[in-house]
Amino acid sequence: VPYGIYDVARNRGHVCVGTSSDTGEFAVNSIRDWWARQDKTQFANSRRLLVLCDSGGSNGCRPRLWKRELQRFADESGMTITVAHYPRGASKWNPIEHRLFSQISANWAGHPLRSLAIMLGFIQDTTTQTGLTVTATQDRRTYKCQIKVSPREMKQLNIRRQRTCPQWNYTISPRPPNSISG
């Protein structure tokens, strides 16, 4: 399962490849992995992160696990995370599709991906004339499927829906340390 992060401003991609399940926990751990590998001087004063993503799948607009795990990342990092989901059928407009994954697909086209090492190698070797560079890591963790996030847990999230398309756009802010439970 590949999960990609594309930094539009810097033209850099990071792909985390898991061999377990595509869950909200995996998706957020991929973002966490990307964030940990960043040049901290580039983002030293960053207090906000904008995440553009599809409206379906593990990082969709409905899964509670995705939101709970984003809250945990916001709490850890101290960042406010704004999420904007593309409506169904419009994910092709997400820059990650045509600026990152299309280039990776072109790079490995015609080559059998017989092992995870070969796959990671092709991902890492992806570059373009416009300066795209890509890093890749393997996530060896095992993720449980069908984790239920209770209504009580959802009420504990520090989530604010945006006025425009509130079902697709929301902001998750770090919670004060004494308010975090479970």
Side-chain angles (χ1 to χ4, degrees):
V1 178
Y3 190 89
I5 294 95
Y6 176 66
D7 182 338
V8 177
R10 296 173 64 214
N11 199 22
R12 295 208 175 132
H14 178 72
V15 179
C16 192
V17 180
T19 55
S20 182
S21 302
D22 183 13
T23 69
E25 189 178 16
F26 169 64
V28 174
N29 277 339
S30 297
I31 295 170
R32 187 179 278 115
D33 181 60
W34 164 79
W35 183 252
R37 294 170 186 281
Q38 292 309 298
D39 176 2
K40 297 305 178 199
T41 59
Q42 292 283 328
F43 299 104
N45 298 318
S46 296
R47 301 308 326 143
R48 299 183 63 82
L49 180 64
L50 173 63
V51 178
L52 306 175
C53 47
D54 296 342
S55 61
S58 63
N59 64 341
C61 58
R62 291 183 155 189
R64 292 177 170 196
L65 182 61
W66 159 252
K67 292 178 181 101
R68 185 190 76 186
E69 293 303 313
L70 276 178
Q71 180 68 67
R72 289 179 176 174
F73 181 53
D75 294 342
E76 289 168 20
S77 66
M79 281 191 298
T80 298
I81 302 168
T82 298
V83 180
H85 292 277
Y86 286 85
R88 289 200 186 278
S91 64
K92 67 183 91 182
W93 299 110
N94 190 337
I96 199 165
E97 297 299 333
H98 55 89
R99 292 188 184 169
L100 179 63
F101 281 119
S102 66
Q103 302 302 325
I104 291 169
S105 295
N107 191 41
W108 69 29
H111 298 279
L113 302 175
R114 293 191 173 136
S115 71
L116 196 53
I118 290 170
M119 180 185 203
L120 289 169
F122 275 112
I123 294 170
Q124 291 168 338
D125 289 344
T126 302
T127 60
T128 64
Q129 291 181 342
T130 60
L132 172 68
T133 58
V134 184
T135 56
T137 57
Q138 180 184 356
D139 184 339
R140 290 184 161 87
R141 288 172 277 217
T142 300
Y143 295 97
K144 293 180 185 176
C145 292
Q146 300 178 350
I147 293 174
K148 302 292 182 199
V149 177
S150 71
R152 181 175 178 261
E153 286 179 282
M154 289 302 293
K155 286 181 184 176
Q156 293 176 348
L157 303 185
N158 192 5
I159 188 168
R160 181 178 47 84
R161 301 238 174 233
Q162 303 297 319
R163 280 191 205 150
T164 304
C165 299
Q167 71 274 28
W168 296 327
N169 303 311
Y170 48 89
T171 298
I172 297 176
S173 299
R175 298 175 289 192
N178 59 352
S179 71
I180 300 170
S181 65

